[in-house]
Amino acid sequence: MNNQKAVAGLLRECKGALDTLSWGSGKEDKRQYEQCQASLPSELRTLIQEAKEMKWPFVPEKWQYKQAVGPEDKTNLQDAIGARLHELLAYLKASILVQDFTTAAALVFLMDRFLYGLDASGKLLQVAKSLHKLHPTIPIAPQVVIRQARISVNTGKLLKAEYILSSLISNKGATGTWQYNKESDKILVQSVCIQIRGQILQKLGMWYEAAELIWASIIGYLELPQPDKKGIATSLGILADIFVSMSKKEYENFKNNPQITLNLLREFDHHLLSAAAACKLAAAFSQYTPLFVLTAVNIRGTCLLSYSNSADCPPEKRKLYLSEAKEAFEIGLLTKKDNDLVAGKQELHSFIKAAFCLTTVHRNLSGETKAVRVSDKLCREAVGKLYAYSTSRGTQDKETLAREIMSDIEQVKKYLQVQSFSNLDDRSYVPESYKSWIDQPILHGKVDFKGILERHSQHHASVCEVFESKCKSHMSREEVKTGACITSLKTETKNADTLSTSDDKLLSQKGIEIPSSEKHSQNHGKIQIKERRKWPQSDVAHVSLDEETETEPPDHFSNGQTDVSSNSLNGSQTSNSWSKISGSSLSTSWEEVDDHAGDVPVRRETIQEKMLVDTQCSTALTEDLENRDENSNLHSFASVPPPASFKDSKEDCSGPSQNPFLASHKTISTASVSGKAILANRELEIENIQEIRNMESKNDSPFFGHLRASSCSSASSRSREIISLSSPEESDSYEVIDRLPEDEGNLRVKNGEEKGVKTTERNEEPIFRGLISWIDQEEETTESIEDTSLGQSKSTKLSSTCSLANKYTMTGSSFTHQWPMKKLITAEEEAIERHADESDTSTNDKELKLTSSKVSHWANKNGSHRLNTLGQQTCQMVNNALGSWANSSRPFPTLCDDTTTEDHGGGNEFGNCRQNSNSSLSRLLNSLDFSNGSSEVRSPLSFLNSSGSSFVSIPGKANQEVLEARTLEDNDFEKLLSGVEHDWLFQRLENTGVFKPRELHQAHNALLLKYSKKSELWTAQETAVYFGDYLVVKKKGKQRNAFWIHLLHQEEILGRYVGKEYKSQKGLWHHFVDVERQMTAQYYVTEFNKRLYEQKIPTQIFYIPSTVLLILEGKTIKGCVSVEPYILGEFVKLSNNTKVVKTEYKATEYGLAYGHFCYEFSNHTNVVVDLQGWVTGNGKGVIYLTDPQIHSLDHKDVTTNFGERGIYYFFNNQHVECNEICHRLSLTRPSIEIPS
Amino acid sequence: MPAMSGFEDADTEETLTCFQVTVYHPNQEQNQVFQMLRFFNRERLSSMEVIKFGRSPNLCHYTFRDKQVSRVQFSLQPFKQFNSPVLSFEIKNLSKKTSLLVGNMELGYLNKMDLPGRCIVRFGEYQFLMEKEDGESLEYFETRFVLASRSLLEERHYGKPVPENGFSSSTLPTEMDENEY
């Protein structure tokens, strides 16, 4: 029905048409235009006409403002537009070609909501922006401007969204030349803006404040001459969603606030029940629009499910609420008929969530039945597909994926026997029972919307202030007074924005940024900076545009030129917009902080970071902004098969480029295995060899076993480092390895044997496998310990390890096939990798000797308590090895065709080693190969395992305990779902041991735990998640990796979220402490903000809310990560947790005052330090922070804070003198003694 | 670590496991046996090292100026327990002639054991209260020496809660300060 590819293509054409517009259009164009117009049904023509006349600020649904809905009103605008989408798009293009821009703008307006549903807003907004740029006087609808804000929120550019919204609110909806038909329409615009602001605060975890705003938006909707039912429905849904997250206390506060006049709150005692009721109402209000109904009933079901789990739910009523939840989810699932195609992330997500939650309800009602198990699995798979869908670049893929997801959903519906209900009104998607309250008044008493706006005016003003000075210069040249700048300024930044919209990653950026930079080059000396900054951006788009991109760069230039000329026709617009950009360093500083950082050295990093930030554009690394030529160079090659281009582009790449030849080494390796073994011996210290010789039984094989262990470990040190170096490839490799153990293999060891012993050709594979098996062995140390019930005879252990080995052997082969599917690697990344490899391998030598000697030593002394330490060491080292190994072989697959990957992979491995002048390593690896293939596989394997299990004198029992502690009992679940205190959790998780990082690209069941500082409770929700790619960031965290994550229960369906995992093995508690700390910082900052607000200091600081995710397999905890919303922009560190403070940022002043405030507020026990996040250039407006450290005199988490010493550092090194903010807040300066 | 600027410097520092040793010897005043120890100083050491205590400055990291002491008396080595995210230490007696008392355990030559988070170690007339304060870092740990003015055995009561981190705080008795600092 709505072929996404065609849509994308048409939009691109529109954009192209705008960019290359030639004046004076042909007859053909004219004819086309008229044809398009004529082909549309009258209904749409009327709508277009009304849009042109600015009749409404938002395209209305027929039922939206009617109290009594007639049958003719029970339609969906979406249906009308969807049916004619292609014609509308063609019309859009035609009207651009004949330069009927007013019609074009009207069409953009009309299609906006529908295309948002198709995740195509980014491209549409670009068209809008270009339109506006060409003709600033053409009115752009508030709906479109607000769309920009919405997209900004989704992608994590909160400040930009805040700016757009605040400006619209405080300027009564003024935007460009738009003229409101009715005064009340301005209230409508303000209400919508307030609603979105509420969603931002919800995203930030400020439940109470968010709820207040949502309530305010409802007041606004009700103040309209005809209440906006759609708006009210949406707000009620959001409000309910907020209630789910609120603590009881907060809800009480909200409910008891005399200004809050919602009737709903009066009727129910429990926040979850009033939330459920709100959703019922929401669904009834929007009963004719399936997506709205689905969204509302999903929230309703979630509320009821949570309530049934809560301690407040009387046991006898539990079933009742569960069945109501069941009904809700079923209604949601029934909003789509069997064969309708669902396109759009929001809708797909909502369906999966409904299916997943329905499964959970069924489990609660009738236990782990087969239907539940199967449905659970289907949902998990669907979550994986959804992730693929949202990251997919090929639109064809998207459709296939969407269809697959919906067929999974259909299956779940069958398994769980979802039956359609009878409905009197066959246009309605909700049953009669939901409609009972629809006529009840929502509010009691009368509230003045203006008064509410007044209350928030200070915030809106201060956000606007951040940008104001910049907008003025521009404004003076525009004919229109206030708010005029909003579209133009915004559209200016829109580019950058849409670009980074991951959902619309394909945006062809060309023509937007480039022209401006071209223009600048003519007008400004500063252009260099600008231009470079722009370039990479456009490159990003290219890179992601597959092959087509190659042809695009030339277009750029011409685009740029035409743009300039067309602009000059419009008077001073050109320089104008430039001044906007360059002037707006503050506003842009958000998106492009390099601006305010200003100078050249910084710039480079920033650009990189900027690019990196965008997931989609991970390839964007290419643009190393040195110069343009290089860029395009790199760039073009990124889309070409790599091997050739490697050579050209970077010298560093010479290494890999030789690889193809290295295949020849393969033969050598087998031929001279024995010889190598001897060589390898030499590498070892002689005494070791002797020790090894002393080994009982099969002389050679154990020896090889050692070698293997040691060679793996030889690679050790590098992996971690490399990984933290953060080129995305590392992460990729990490991930691949990680998933290995998970794959179920059934290859026998035999397999490996055969291959190893005979054919030279195959000989490489065992190497691969050998390594993998070792690596995994290590990765799995904990697990393998669990697997083998300890204290059993050695032989059992032995066999179990072998089975592990089997698994890995198998995965080894599957593993290679994954390579070709990986993204193309850019030369730069390769280079980094190469460097890393080279430098690291040299260190390997030493360590190699070290460990090998240890291993042998340890093997020799078989069974002493010493095993513990040594074993662990080896474990760690081998563990490390895996990363590096994968790393070294990583580049290869991109260099060769998939058919031969496997063999080449092996060859490559050798090749790398050789190149890296680490002969010993390569020899060892070679010999490894042999040993792996040999029939002695078992004995070497048993070593590590026994080491693991011989865990000092507290053997089996301790591990058994760990395993038990990791298994959640039913009553644990109950407690977690109803909310537990910190202490309970601490005790419950105490003996769960340490966890390794989870494998990426997997869907998991999980418990999402939110912490409320106010109630000091952790409350869990059952959810399903998908772990996506690692984030590509400029500077990786030292301790943790960040990756994309999609949760069914994420606050914002279209938002982006990141998961954070520890690189090294950590206990669960670490994550909980992290989250608690962050939520504590959030709690303090809320108080701090109040003080700032009182003092009329125009700054607000937010801590990004963070949650814990316990990964489950069945009922066993398998891992833990923390999750927080993604914020787009340049990440900066203002201070660390000891003595460093970065005074060059203005925001630091506010940050330090905040730290000082915390000290006072906490009765001199805590300071919040390690300030980092996303700031504005002048520190005003909104600052978003994350990952705080808190130095606390409280002993609770002694391992992570410096306590008294930290507080001393803060006052004596970081915050040596009180600043203006401290003074204005009347903070007193403590005298801190040097801690002993 | 002076206050610095520059992007790279603002790294969050990991807390280090702090190994605090309170030492006592009845003749510490007269003989200055602890002369070589720098009290109250935090010294950062690599977790890969084995730290030896004894008389020989060539062999040992921490030395006691006392003929009675063996050239190498004992060693401490950091390690990580399975399923633990933090460092632990094991102690090994390297003296052939003197046995080492760790709590109530007596270690002979080359005997070793895991060191509890807090315990008293003795040999000859030497007394050491060894306390571990956990930190995040696995790469490094730090040591800190404190001189006790009175015998540790007389005034210490086992099982009594003492701040794990060695800092005094409002909720805890100030006993430590008076006596040892």
Side-chain angles (χ1 to χ4, degrees):
Chain A
M1 184 172 71
N2 306 302
N3 184 326
Q4 295 195 337
K5 192 168 199 165
V7 171
L10 274 166
L11 281 170
R12 207 170 347 203
E13 283 171 30
C14 292
K15 182 71 182 55
L18 276 167
D19 293 335
T20 57
L21 213 53
S22 58
W23 294 91
S25 49
K27 269 188 187 153
E28 181 55 28
D29 291 339
K30 199 93 189 162
R31 206 177 53 79
Q32 184 86 26
Y33 169 74
E34 278 156 10
Q35 234 171 31
C36 286
Q37 194 176 19
S39 72
L40 289 171
S42 64
E43 184 196 8
L44 285 178
R45 264 183 291 172
T46 316
L47 281 171
I48 293 167
Q49 191 50 41
E50 289 177 341
K52 280 198 232 175
E53 289 163 8
M54 299 185 257
K55 238 187 135 189
W56 11 253
F58 301 93
V59 185
E61 296 280 356
K62 283 186 177 166
W63 49 263
Q64 196 171 351
Y65 300 98
K66 289 193 180 169
Q67 285 307 98
V69 180
E72 74 284 359
D73 300 325
K74 297 173 180 174
T75 55
N76 269 311
L77 200 59
Q78 307 293 61
D79 295 340
I81 290 168
R84 298 287 179 156
L85 186 65
H86 290 259
E87 281 115 307
L88 288 167
L89 283 166
Y91 189 22
L92 174 62
K93 189 184 163 196
S95 54
I96 289 169
L97 287 174
V98 300
Q99 288 156 36
D100 179 0
F101 296 126
T102 317
T103 305
L107 285 163
V108 166
F109 180 19
L110 202 60
M111 288 185 288
D112 164 68
R113 194 178 296 132
F114 187 83
L115 290 178
Y116 181 62
L118 279 185
D119 305 319
S121 274
K123 284 185 207 75
L124 187 71
L125 286 169
Q126 286 194 326
V127 174
K129 196 243 133 190
S130 291
L131 267 175
H132 178 77
K133 212 169 173 186
L134 282 173
H135 272 287
T137 50
I138 288 181
I140 300 288
Q143 179 181 321
V144 177
V145 178
I146 291 173
R147 181 72 57 210
Q148 179 61 61
R150 227 182 250 285
I151 293 286
S152 300
V153 180
N154 293 344
T155 45
K157 252 186 201 174
L158 301 188
L159 184 59
K160 176 170 174 181
E162 281 273 15
Y163 171 64
I164 296 176
L165 300 171
S166 291
S167 170
L168 282 172
I169 295 169
S170 50
N171 296 320
K172 294 196 172 154
T175 166
T177 54
W178 184 269
Q179 275 168 355
Y180 287 91
N181 191 24
K182 288 179 289 203
E183 215 32 45
S184 64
D185 284 346
K186 295 180 183 175
I187 293 176
L188 177 60
V189 168
Q190 286 173 315
S191 307
V192 172
C193 289
I194 286 192
Q195 184 192 67
I196 301 175
R197 275 208 65 224
Q199 285 177 297
I200 294 177
L201 291 185
Q202 182 193 9
K203 182 173 183 166
L204 290 171
M206 314 290 291
W207 315 123
Y208 183 87
E209 293 78 1
E212 263 189 343
L213 285 177
I214 298 298
W215 164 78
S217 73
I218 294 176
I219 304 289
Y221 294 132
L222 286 169
E223 190 146 305
L224 302 173
Q226 291 301 323
D228 177 358
K229 288 198 276 185
K230 192 183 131 203
I232 294 169
T234 315
S235 283
L236 286 173
I238 299 166
L239 194 61
D241 212 8
I242 294 169
F243 286 169
V244 179
S245 304
M246 258 188 182
S247 71
K248 255 191 197 168
K249 266 187 201 166
E250 271 176 314
Y251 176 75
E252 286 303 314
N253 286 344
F254 183 71
K255 189 181 170 185
N256 297 330
N257 182 338
Q259 281 156 342
I260 308 293
T261 50
L262 279 172
N263 278 333
L264 273 171
L265 303 179
R266 284 181 169 178
E267 282 172 50
F268 297 91
D269 291 336
H270 201 276
H271 60 285
L272 291 170
L273 292 180
S274 50
C279 293
K280 202 175 189 176
L281 198 54
F285 271 134
S286 53
Q287 55 179 317
Y288 304 111
T289 307
L291 181 57
F292 294 162
V293 172
L294 173 60
T295 310
V297 292
N298 263 354
I299 302 169
R300 174 172 162 83
T302 312
C303 296
L304 292 165
L305 185 58
S306 290
Y307 183 71
S308 75
N309 284 321
S310 82
D312 299 319
C313 176
E316 70 277 9
K317 291 217 170 155
R318 189 160 179 264
K319 265 228 157 84
L320 172 76
Y321 288 110
L322 279 173
S323 64
E324 282 193 34
K326 177 167 166 269
E327 183 192 23
F329 293 124
E330 287 178 348
I331 293 168
L333 288 172
L334 288 167
T335 54
K336 212 75 191 177
K337 305 288 177 282
D338 292 5
N339 37 16
D340 290 352
L341 175 66
V342 172
K345 199 175 154 191
Q346 185 176 5
E347 202 161 15
L348 290 170
H349 174 104
S350 302
F351 273 112
I352 302 171
K353 185 171 177 180
F356 176 84
C357 292
L358 183 61
T359 308
T360 310
V361 170
H362 275 269
R363 186 183 291 120
N364 286 352
L365 280 170
S366 44
E368 192 80 33
T369 58
K370 184 178 170 247
V372 167
R373 266 200 312 278
V374 178
S375 304
D376 189 60
K377 188 160 171 280
L378 282 166
C379 293
R380 226 174 21 242
E381 283 167 10
V383 174
K385 287 171 193 162
L386 180 64
Y387 182 84
Y389 174 90
S390 56
T391 50
S392 158
R393 285 156 197 214
T395 38
Q396 206 55 52
D397 271 10
K398 281 201 175 207
E399 278 179 37
T400 320
L401 286 162
R403 204 164 283 132
E404 280 178 25
I405 291 171
M406 287 318 290
S407 99
D408 287 345
I409 301 295
E410 282 310 315
Q411 286 191 58
V412 173
K413 276 162 83 172
K414 285 203 185 83
Y415 276 110
L416 301 181
Q417 298 171 334
V418 177
Q419 311 276 337
S420 58
F421 50 88
S422 66
N423 207 327
L424 293 177
D425 185 347
D426 63 351
R427 296 255 185 184
S428 164
Y429 289 90
V430 301
E432 293 305 315
S433 61
Y434 270 52
K435 299 171 194 166
S436 50
W437 294 341
I438 204 162
D439 299 321
Q440 307 265 316
I442 297 171
L443 298 179
H444 53 87
K446 169 82 182 149
V447 188
D448 178 30
F449 186 58
K450 261 201 196 99
I452 298 170
L453 285 183
E454 209 53 48
R455 244 178 279 157
H456 297 280
S457 62
Q458 193 188 321
H459 173 85
H460 301 139
S462 69
V463 171
C464 291
E465 194 182 295
V466 179
F467 302 87
E468 202 165 44
S469 54
K470 305 305 155 192
C471 312
K472 263 176 189 153
S473 63
H474 166 64
M475 258 154 49
S476 58
R477 277 172 236 185
E478 285 268 314
E479 305 105 276
V480 199
K481 313 111 242 169
T482 27
C485 57
I486 189 161
T487 18
S488 43
L489 174 74
K490 262 12 220 174
T491 34
E492 211 55 61
T493 36
K494 215 180 251 176
N495 311 323
D497 216 53
T498 23
L499 228 199
S500 34
T501 313
S502 79
D503 308 70
D504 317 302
K505 58 288 258 204
L506 293 189
L507 305 176
S508 61
Q509 181 59 21
K510 52 153 189 172
I512 299 187
E513 293 291 355
I514 303 312
S516 56
S517 56
E518 291 278 317
K519 281 180 256 161
H520 310 336
S521 70
Q522 293 162 11
N523 299 337
H524 289 266
K526 253 174 145 189
I527 188 270
Q528 292 290 356
I529 298 172
K530 269 313 174 190
E531 192 178 9
R532 288 188 190 170
R533 184 147 39 77
K534 300 300 177 188
W535 264 100
Q537 288 180 356
S538 51
D539 280 359
V540 174
H542 289 295
V543 177
S544 48
L545 272 176
D546 308 337
E547 283 153 58
E548 293 160 51
T549 47
E550 283 172 350
T551 53
E552 275 174 9
D555 285 345
H556 273 284
F557 295 105
S558 55
N559 285 346
Q561 268 134 29
T562 39
D563 203 313
V564 170
S565 56
S566 60
N567 266 312
S568 55
L569 286 172
N570 288 320
S572 61
Q573 183 57 23
T574 329
S575 51
N576 214 353
S577 63
W578 166 231
S579 67
K580 248 179 290 156
I581 298 186
S582 63
S584 64
S585 57
L586 294 175
S587 61
T588 43
S589 71
W590 178 241
E591 291 116 22
E592 312 167 36
V593 182
D594 44 330
D595 237 2
H596 96 97
D599 43 3
V600 184
V602 182
R603 192 202 327 144
R604 194 193 138 129
E605 290 175 4
T606 343
I607 300 165
Q608 213 162 6
E609 139 106 36
K610 214 185 140 193
M611 312 326 313
L612 293 175
V613 163
D614 191 331
T615 20
Q616 299 327 122
C617 306
S618 51
T619 33
L621 253 184
T622 348
E623 52 251 20
D624 196 13
L625 9 117
E626 241 66 302
N627 60 57
R628 228 189 274 168
D629 304 65
E630 192 183 330
N631 271 338
S632 39
N633 225 339
L634 282 168
H635 176 261
S636 59
F637 109 58
S639 44
V640 168
S645 43
F646 267 130
K647 278 185 196 158
D648 321 324
S649 52
K650 291 236 170 180
E651 284 200 343
D652 313 284
C653 300
S654 56
S657 67
Q658 290 171 21
N659 273 330
F661 307 108
L662 292 169
S664 58
H665 290 304
K666 290 186 295 182
T667 27
I668 304 172
S669 68
T670 17
S672 57
V673 170
S674 55
K676 267 165 201 148
I678 292 158
L679 284 171
N681 284 350
R682 282 191 204 139
E683 298 294 322
L684 301 167
E685 285 161 41
I686 291 171
E687 52 167 334
N688 294 335
I689 296 171
Q690 264 149 13
E691 281 182 40
I692 291 159
R693 291 261 158 83
N694 291 341
M695 291 284 310
E696 9 73 64
S697 74
K698 304 150 186 170
N699 280 331
D700 290 339
S701 51
F703 168 55
F704 284 125
H706 300 316
L707 286 183
R708 272 164 78 193
S710 55
S711 62
C712 288
S713 58
S714 72
S716 70
S717 64
R718 21 138 111 146
S719 67
R720 281 288 149 77
E721 287 170 45
I722 291 171
I723 284 161
S724 60
L725 246 181
S726 93
S727 125
E729 265 51 47
E730 269 80 53
S731 15
D732 280 349
S733 59
Y734 215 128
E735 134 238 323
V736 170
I737 289 143
D738 271 347
R739 62 189 301 176
L740 291 177
E742 222 57 17
D743 295 3
E744 295 290 323
N746 44 10
L747 276 194
R748 304 291 95 186
V749 173
K750 207 175 72 194
N751 207 342
E753 289 167 22
E754 278 173 13
K755 288 184 179 161
V757 183
K758 298 300 164 201
T759 34
T760 35
E761 252 295 279
R762 286 200 180 171
N763 228 311
E764 308 315 314
E765 294 174 31
I767 293 188
F768 239 42
R769 292 172 180 184
L771 280 165
I772 290 168
S773 62
W774 276 97
I775 286 152
D776 286 330
Q777 175 74 15
E778 292 317 318
E779 271 291 272
E780 289 284 275
T781 332
T782 27
E783 238 101 309
S784 69
I785 290 164
E786 291 160 11
D787 289 349
T788 43
S789 48
L790 303 160
Q792 285 183 8
S793 73
K794 204 177 175 183
S795 59
T796 20
K797 286 177 217 155
L798 214 140
S799 57
S800 74
T801 15
C802 285
S803 67
L804 277 173
N806 291 347
K807 252 204 240 173
Y808 303 138
T809 329
M810 148 67 199
T811 47
S813 45
S814 68
F815 158 81
T816 33
H817 294 300
Q818 294 168 3
W819 291 130
M821 283 148 56
K822 294 282 159 205
K823 289 172 284 184
L824 290 177
I825 312 166
T826 67
E828 196 173 56
E829 287 159 347
E830 293 274 2
I832 293 168
E833 211 172 355
R834 219 99 294 278
H835 278 315
D837 266 353
E838 274 161 25
S839 57
D840 284 328
T841 25
S842 51
T843 60
N844 291 337
D845 263 354
K846 294 173 206 153
E847 216 166 300
L848 163 66
K849 284 177 203 155
L850 193 95
T851 32
S852 61
S853 69
K854 271 185 184 159
V855 172
S856 49
H857 175 55
W858 144 63
N860 209 20
K861 305 225 168 181
N862 213 352
S864 87
H865 58 280
R866 195 174 304 177
L867 286 184
N868 174 28
T869 352
L870 287 173
Q872 185 136 33
Q873 264 167 354
T874 356
C875 289
Q876 216 180 21
M877 297 189 145
V878 182
N879 199 352
N880 288 340
L882 105 200
S884 63
W885 162 76
N887 187 40
S888 59
S889 58
R890 177 68 240 263
F892 198 69
T894 46
L895 295 175
C896 57
D897 285 331
D898 29 336
T899 41
T900 47
T901 316
E902 208 162 346
D903 280 352
H904 281 264
N908 176 43
E909 176 66 4
F910 293 127
N912 281 343
C913 297
R914 254 156 229 270
Q915 275 176 337
N916 295 337
S917 75
N918 188 347
S919 49
S920 70
L921 176 59
S922 64
R923 274 179 223 125
L924 283 166
L925 284 169
N926 287 350
S927 49
L928 266 187
D929 158 31
F930 182 71
S931 71
N932 181 45
S934 83
S935 54
E936 254 58 53
V937 178
R938 285 153 203 241
S939 44
L941 275 174
S942 65
F943 279 119
L944 282 176
N945 192 45
S946 61
S947 84
S949 47
S950 64
F951 176 38
V952 210
S953 45
I954 343 156
K957 207 179 151 201
N959 289 299
Q960 196 55 43
E961 269 172 19
V962 167
L963 194 59
E964 271 167 24
R966 288 183 184 185
T967 308
L968 295 172
E969 301 297 331
D970 284 349
N971 64 337
D972 291 330
F973 268 103
E974 273 168 33
K975 286 211 173 76
L976 285 166
L977 292 172
S978 67
V980 292
E981 285 176 4
H982 214 64
D983 291 343
W984 182 88
L985 204 55
F986 180 75
Q987 276 171 15
R988 181 59 190 82
L989 299 178
E990 205 178 1
N991 295 314
T992 46
V994 292
F995 291 83
K996 61 180 194 227
R998 292 307 296 173
E999 42 283 337
L1000 297 188
H1001 297 278
Q1002 288 250 334
H1004 303 279
N1005 283 73
L1007 281 179
L1008 174 66
L1009 285 125
K1010 288 182 186 165
Y1011 180 69
S1012 158
K1013 177 72 186 168
K1014 276 188 190 134
S1015 63
E1016 304 201 313
L1017 282 181
W1018 290 90
T1019 313
Q1021 281 180 304
E1022 290 166 274
T1023 190
V1025 298
Y1026 187 84
F1027 286 14
D1029 288 307
Y1030 281 108
L1031 255 74
V1032 184
V1033 289
K1034 177 170 71 173
K1035 189 169 180 288
K1036 270 215 168 176
K1038 267 193 174 167
Q1039 298 196 46
R1040 292 188 290 177
N1041 283 321
F1043 53 91
W1044 295 109
I1045 191 167
H1046 191 92
L1047 298 84
L1048 282 185
H1049 286 70
Q1050 63 192 36
E1051 220 73 53
E1052 197 190 3
I1053 294 174
L1054 291 176
R1056 297 196 281 177
Y1057 287 78
V1058 285
K1060 293 181 178 177
E1061 64 179 2
Y1062 279 97
K1063 291 175 187 171
S1064 58
Q1065 301 196 348
K1066 292 274 185 186
L1068 294 176
W1069 194 241
H1070 251 88
H1071 288 284
F1072 286 89
V1073 171
D1074 288 342
V1075 168
E1076 194 227 350
R1077 203 188 306 123
Q1078 195 147 330
M1079 299 313 273
T1080 305
Q1082 189 197 51
Y1083 172 71
Y1084 290 150
V1085 94
T1086 313
E1087 297 300 319
F1088 181 65
N1089 285 340
K1090 284 181 195 159
R1091 300 278 289 272
L1092 291 178
Y1093 207 78
E1094 282 160 17
Q1095 295 302 317
K1096 303 213 183 318
I1097 299 170
T1099 294
Q1100 297 276 284
I1101 304 179
F1102 291 101
Y1103 263 97
I1104 307 303
S1106 146
T1107 51
V1108 171
L1109 203 58
L1110 276 181
I1111 307 302
L1112 301 177
E1113 212 177 275
K1115 302 201 157 176
T1116 309
I1117 302 170
K1118 285 288 173 178
C1120 189
V1121 298
S1122 60
V1123 179
E1124 58 184 58
Y1126 174 71
I1127 302 291
L1128 184 61
E1130 196 201 2
F1131 184 84
V1132 295
K1133 283 208 76 152
L1134 303 177
S1135 68
N1136 78 346
N1137 59 342
T1138 51
K1139 302 175 177 177
V1140 184
V1141 67
K1142 316 277 275 181
T1143 45
E1144 63 263 40
Y1145 299 108
K1146 197 77 178 140
T1148 303
E1149 271 184 36
Y1150 295 84
L1152 291 174
Y1154 164 62
H1156 188 168
F1157 168 82
C1158 295
Y1159 183 72
E1160 271 197 20
F1161 188 77
S1162 63
N1163 281 323
H1164 305 220
T1165 56
N1166 289 354
V1167 288
V1168 178
V1169 292
D1170 217 9
L1171 306 170
Q1172 48 196 317
W1174 301 264
V1175 303
T1176 53
N1178 61 359
K1180 289 183 181 160
V1182 192
I1183 297 171
Y1184 302 96
L1185 299 177
T1186 187
D1187 289 344
Q1189 293 290 330
I1190 300 181
H1191 295 311
S1192 171
L1193 296 182
D1194 189 358
H1195 290 281
K1196 210 160 41 181
D1197 53 344
V1198 72
T1199 53
T1200 51
N1201 90 73
F1202 288 80
E1204 197 182 359
R1205 195 151 47 102
I1207 295 176
Y1208 177 80
Y1209 286 152
F1210 176 75
F1211 283 108
N1212 287 280
N1213 297 83
Q1214 294 195 349
H1215 188 47
V1216 183
E1217 251 182 321
C1218 277
N1219 57 40
E1220 194 206 331
I1221 319 294
C1222 301
H1223 296 312
R1224 287 178 69 182
L1225 299 184
S1226 325
L1227 299 175
T1228 46
R1229 184 140 192 105
S1231 62
I1232 307 280
E1233 310 241 313
I1234 304 177
S1236 52
Chain B
M1 284 185 290
M4 292 176 291
S5 197
F7 190 89
E8 296 302 322
D9 308 327
D11 279 337
T12 308
E13 288 182 32
E14 286 182 310
T15 51
L16 302 183
T17 298
C18 180
F19 194 82
Q20 175 163 299
V21 187
T22 309
V23 299
Y24 176 77
H25 187 276
N27 298 327
Q28 57 196 23
E29 298 294 323
Q30 303 93 303
N31 300 347
Q32 294 289 307
V33 289
F34 296 127
Q35 190 186 35
M36 306 302 285
L37 299 178
R38 290 181 59 203
F39 290 110
F40 302 113
N41 178 53
R42 286 172 187 268
E43 182 177 11
R44 197 166 85 141
L45 296 167
S46 162
S47 304
M48 300 210 271
E49 275 178 54
V50 178
I51 313 143
K52 291 178 187 152
F53 292 74
R55 174 169 44 89
S56 164
N58 297 329
L59 298 172
C60 297
H61 195 88
Y62 296 114
T63 51
F64 309 117
R65 228 185 50 152
D66 183 350
K67 288 270 160 54
Q68 308 276 317
V69 175
S70 299
R71 282 195 304 158
V72 184
Q73 192 75 41
F74 65 91
S75 72
L76 279 173
Q77 184 173 19
F79 74 102
K80 199 160 82 71
Q81 302 269 14
F82 281 97
N83 285 317
S84 164
V86 295
L87 288 178
S88 299
F89 292 86
E90 65 172 20
I91 188 165
K92 186 200 249 182
N93 187 7
L94 294 173
S95 167
K96 284 180 180 158
K97 53 177 188 178
T98 322
S99 61
L100 190 70
L101 276 164
V102 180
N104 298 321
M105 281 284 279
E106 186 172 337
L107 302 186
Y109 178 52
L110 291 185
N111 285 155
K112 67 170 188 176
M113 65 178 282
D114 293 356
L115 209 54
R118 184 183 134 77
C119 69
I120 289 187
V121 173
R122 286 173 289 166
F123 69 88
E125 288 188 289
Y126 286 81
Q127 301 172 7
F128 306 88
L129 170 64
M130 298 190 171
E131 293 165 292
K132 180 175 75 114
E133 171 200 327
D134 289 334
E136 298 159 291
S137 176
L138 295 179
E139 274 69 49
Y140 299 98
F141 67 99
E142 56 188 14
T143 57
R144 188 164 181 271
F145 287 89
V146 173
L147 184 65
S149 54
R150 264 183 263 154
S151 166
L152 301 166
L153 297 170
E154 283 166 25
E155 50 180 79
R156 294 268 162 197
H157 306 285
Y158 256 36
K160 186 179 173 188
V162 167
E164 256 200 321
N165 65 355
F167 300 140
S168 65
S169 87
S170 50
T171 56
L172 289 158
T174 49
E175 173 191 40
M176 270 176 73
D177 292 323
E178 291 158 16
N179 298 330
E180 293 159 20
Y181 289 74

